Amino acid sequence: MHDTIRQEMIEMLPRLRAFARSLTRDQTQADDLVQVTCEKALRNLAGFTPGTRLDSWLFRILRNAWIDEVRTRVPQETIEDSEAAGRLVSIDGPRRTEARLELAAVGRAMEALPEDQRSVLMLVCVEGLRYREAAAALGVPEGTVMSRLSRARVALAATLGMTGGVAGARKGGRR
């Protein structure tokens, strides 16, 4: 059984990295956070309940590790490489370039969200967790997940100049 869990953890690494990146806003810190998460999970495999969702369990470990990191962190300045993020290759077609620009705008809008809203948005809309699973992963009531998700969608729609589209969408919003 432990070998199966270890294999599933390996398969989840890209999802864990994406969630960690949404929390840390820095790929190096995200990779460190994923490593800490995997180490804690492997040390505590007995704490995983078979038949439950491994991803929810790992997301919760990751978020708790992030909270621990934030509590002990000394304020540091981060250098944003916005020039690299906005760089486009000249051989891209107009559609591809437009899609990249839109994706970059959504990424910036998501990064501007408060951490609690960004976390919920990542777990529900990107990772596809149900509200109760996201609530378990974040250690908050299901209603809190719903209200944070609603506020995140409204904020994204406002930032991106959309009316009703994101705010009214229920993609991934399953109970």
Side-chain angles (χ1 to χ4, degrees):
M1 177 180 85
H2 289 326
D3 289 337
T4 303
I5 292 173
R6 286 183 178 100
Q7 182 58 41
E8 289 178 25
M9 284 177 61
I10 291 169
E11 293 168 6
M12 279 201 54
L13 287 175
R15 294 175 62 202
L16 290 170
R17 287 183 79 210
F19 184 50
R21 174 68 171 94
S22 78
L23 294 174
T24 64
R25 300 178 185 186
D26 177 81
Q27 194 60 53
T28 302
Q29 286 181 336
D31 289 342
D32 291 345
L33 185 58
V34 170
Q35 181 176 346
V36 167
T37 299
C38 290
E39 289 172 359
K40 287 183 178 190
L42 290 171
R43 273 195 311 269
N44 298 303
L45 280 177
F48 176 68
T49 306
T52 61
R53 289 191 59 161
L54 180 64
D55 56 356
S56 293
W57 184 65
L58 291 171
F59 287 136
R60 182 168 198 151
I61 293 171
L62 190 143
R63 183 163 185 281
N64 288 342
W66 173 243
I67 290 170
D68 293 344
E69 168 69 24
V70 168
R71 286 181 182 153
T72 60
R73 183 188 305 162
V74 176
Q76 299 177 4
E77 286 292 318
T78 59
I79 299 172
E80 294 290 325
D81 189 1
S82 59
E83 187 177 313
R87 210 174 309 145
L88 296 174
V89 178
S90 62
I91 60 173
D92 282 350
R95 284 189 183 142
R96 188 175 220 165
T97 301
E98 185 176 327
R100 283 182 162 185
L101 289 170
E102 288 176 9
L103 185 59
V106 170
R108 286 189 302 275
M110 283 183 65
E111 285 192 19
L113 292 173
E115 181 186 328
D116 60 345
Q117 292 177 20
R118 192 173 58 253
S119 297
V120 168
L121 192 68
M122 283 295 294
L123 291 177
V124 174
C125 295
V126 176
E127 292 299 330
L129 267 62
R130 297 184 180 281
Y131 291 162
R132 71 177 164 276
E133 294 164 345
L138 298 172
V140 298
E142 191 174 327
T144 301
V145 167
M146 293 166 56
S147 64
R148 288 178 183 174
L149 182 60
S150 176
R151 286 194 306 272
R153 287 175 170 160
V154 168
L156 278 179
T159 301
L160 298 171
M162 304 168 86
T163 56
V166 173
R170 302 238 351 130
K171 180 182 184 247
R174 302 171 308 247
R175 293 178 177 231

